[in-house]
Amino acid sequence: DYVLHSIGYFVLTLLLIRLLLAEQPKKLQKLATIFSGTNNPHDGLIFWNIASITGVFIAIGYGVTDELHQYFTPGRHCSFNDLLANSFGAFMAYGVSMLDYLIMSRTSLHKRWTKRIKWLKAISYAKSLS
């Protein structure tokens, strides 16, 4: 059961991170500008990191509310271990997201792989790096 929780929240967090990177909300851009000390809110690693951490916290927040809702639902139980499994999956997605940034920031490697494997281009975050 814990493995399924981790996988589910891993996927949820990856989707949230992708949404935040694609949409680039103005509040995240302001935070990136403050932390980077430059006027460029898309300063690569800082914006990517803020978007990834925000996705993790949204997923964990959803996990907390889901466990609380299960506490009040007859036939269901609230478990701290489920919450830990959810958080583990979310933080694994953070790690994958940062690994993805490192791979994509090396443009030659990124271009080589997207040329070899066509479907990688469709799911690429390349727009977020510019």
Side-chain angles (χ1 to χ4, degrees):
D1 182 45
Y2 300 130
V3 172
L4 295 176
H5 276 265
S6 294
I7 292 170
Y9 277 81
F10 175 80
V11 171
L12 172 66
T13 306
L14 280 180
L15 291 172
L16 286 169
I17 291 169
R18 180 161 174 87
L19 173 72
L20 291 169
L21 287 171
E23 294 297 320
Q24 299 181 356
K26 296 215 182 287
K27 289 186 180 185
L28 292 184
Q29 290 176 358
K30 285 181 185 177
L31 278 175
T33 302
I34 291 169
F35 286 120
S36 69
T38 65
N39 289 334
N40 183 9
H42 307 292
D43 189 23
L45 180 62
I46 293 175
F47 182 77
W48 197 285
N49 200 7
I50 289 172
S52 298
I53 288 290
T54 303
V56 168
F57 284 136
I58 291 171
I60 290 174
Y62 177 77
V64 167
T65 59
D66 187 39
E67 291 301 318
L68 287 174
H69 135 267
Q70 288 181 20
Y71 179 77
F72 296 106
T73 305
R76 303 289 305 261
H77 69 281
C78 177
S79 169
F80 183 71
N81 291 334
D82 285 349
L83 185 59
L84 287 177
N86 298 346
S87 300
F88 176 75
F91 279 109
M92 289 298 294
Y94 172 78
V96 168
S97 172
M98 296 314 293
L99 180 65
D100 189 26
Y101 174 81
L102 291 175
I103 290 171
M104 291 199 35
S105 63
R106 311 291 191 272
T107 56
S108 63
L109 179 64
H110 176 256
K111 287 179 183 175
R112 252 187 301 170
W113 278 103
T114 53
K115 284 181 183 176
R116 287 183 186 167
I117 305 172
K118 299 294 183 197
W119 61 268
L120 280 177
K121 192 175 283 189
I123 62 170
S124 175
Y125 291 99
K127 292 179 192 172
S128 301
L129 290 173
S130 55

